[in-house]
Amino acid sequence: MWWGFKLELKKGMHTKKVWAILIVMILLYVPLVYVLKQGMHHGGEISGDAAMSLTIQFITGMALFFLGILAIVMGATAVNKEVEEGTIRVVLSKRISRLNYILGKFLGQSVVFFIAVLLAVLVALAGLAYVGVGLTGRVAGDVFLLNVILFLVMVEFLALGYILSTFLKSSGSALGIALVVFFVIYLILPIFVQYEVYTHAPGNISEGGLRDMKADYYTKYLFYSPTAQAETITSYVSDEKVVQRTVNTPHGTGTYMRTITIYRGVGYAIKERWINFTLLIVMSFIYLAVAVVRFVRMDLR
Amino acid sequence: MVMLRIDNLVKVYRDVRALDGLSLEVKEGQIYGFLGPNGAGKSTTILGTLGLIYPNSGRINLLGREVFRDGKFSEKALLEAKSKIGYMPEHATLWDFLTPYQTLDILADSFDIPRTERGKRIRELLETVNLWEVKDKKVGKFSKGMRQRLLLAQALINDPELLILDEPMSGLDPKGIAEFKEIIREQKKAGKTVFFSSHILAHVEEVCNTVGVIVRGKLRLEGNIGQIKENFLKKAGYLILLETNKPVSFEGVDWEVERVSPTKYKIKAPGDVREEVNDLVWRQGAKILQLMVRVPSLEEVFLSLVKEEG
């Protein structure tokens, strides 16, 4: 297994895959830092919680899309491209078993993702420090955990891509089908599930109740979608609470209702939605297992 | 010792029977040329032997180990055998981002070749295939010939007892082919066994001592190169250009005759027909303008073998 792992890691570094992922992540953080900086100019101080809340909103919205596509595309061409180029025939003519090779390859690519994620954590922390957010242990931990979720999403998409790569002989067709699969599970199916949520939700349901209902539907009907699971987890990062405020005006005293956001943290969200976090891991293993079973029996010509 | 034994191997791709009960045997020290037209099943045989495709049935024995039987590969036996085999595929690219030195180094890693020996071995191989001068150049910048030579070097990295080469000379220029044949001869001198496929007789005849001909997934001919060539010559014939002032009758002969002008005939005749031609010339007053021995191409022999099979 280590041979395939070493080769894939080398490949990841030499072919600059790790840098490609990192650049995508940095490009995602640039507008975020800009928004935070603008907020500082107009509203003065910005708390770590508010900055983290915004960061998570931003990152889950955009990173899941770009990194998801990147990962599924990398996975979808992982095996068939090597068959087309003949490299796999050279490798497997050596003293390397198919099982060890594919597991090593997958592990190598996952480690490349993880290195990119670790570098992205540093970039994110640097960005937050630049806009004046105090880098407390909690902020650093939350940025790390957020990137761990992104990493798990990438790994699951990678494994899903591996299935396509072992079933579709042409890397060109696999690429096209991977994009279709991505849009179906990232965009189209969640629309249907959300529609179901809103159709079945009682009229007087609270914001929190609706969030719980959506999370349950996503768990039940979109368990195979890494982006749906990640979105579910991050939706629990903050709670919204309706508070009654009293205002004294020259004309008298008035009250109004205001929704305030209480930031709970990524660790809290993972704890609350452990099932979705577990699904991210378990589904990666299931997808990988399907790809492995197929790979060990396929004709490599 | 038998280095490779294939018994009744069958491989069906959807509705195409690529291997139709193929059986062959390669003994230690043999340089076995595996000939056949394109699509005959040469690559399928090699890929099946190495466990890169799954045959439907049959048996494969590699270096005394039964690696395939009853539709299943024995992973352990296959890995053991692979440690003593070198393989060069027909179409393959190696990693463009690595140098030839790095390529051989990473592949040597899979055989656990000790670091101390590895550097020496890589240098020897790169010198053998004339790539030592460019050892630090990225493979991505290599020409087709250089890539082909690197593919050969990687096949030799573990100093294999059995070298399996799939159309190794395709895409090489005459100089490359000559160098390649020299490397095969060196392997022969070192007592190694080489099994290589080709669809060109000239590529195998100088270096092989045994030849097998595969057509439509079956071994149709096997023997030493002399026997195979004799078989070829049996199918040789004559190409004759006759000139005559009066019409010539070709009754009673099984020749292919074409009247190329009112006074000239072009004849393609199978076998040794010199006597009959002489007779014709003498009786009918024709004149021989040209007479050439016509040796059929490998393709024609393959086709005749297929025809014979019905």
Side-chain angles (χ1 to χ4, degrees), chain A residues 239-250:
Chain A
D239 279 333
E240 290 198 334
K241 205 173 168 186
V242 181
V243 288
Q244 190 177 317
R245 288 279 163 93
T246 309
V247 195
N248 292 318
T249 64

Side-chain angles (χ1 to χ4, degrees), chain A residues 65-66 68-69 72-73 157 160 175-192 222 225 227:
Chain A
F65 176 78
F66 289 110
I69 285 188
I72 199 168
V73 161
F157 270 124
L160 189 58
L175 204 70
I177 290 174
L179 292 177
V180 172
V181 169
F182 179 80
F183 281 107
V184 167
I185 64 173
Y186 173 77
L187 200 69
I188 297 167
L189 291 176
I191 291 174
F192 285 113
L222 293 171
S225 163
T227 41

Side-chain angles (χ1 to χ4, degrees), chain B residues 23-52:
Chain B
S23 297
L24 62 84
E25 206 173 86
V26 181
K27 293 192 182 76
E28 194 174 1
Q30 262 185 346
I31 309 291
Y32 192 106
F34 193 41
L35 280 169
N38 291 326
K42 299 186 298 290
S43 294
T44 302
T45 306
I46 291 175
L47 295 176
T49 301
L50 294 163
L52 297 171

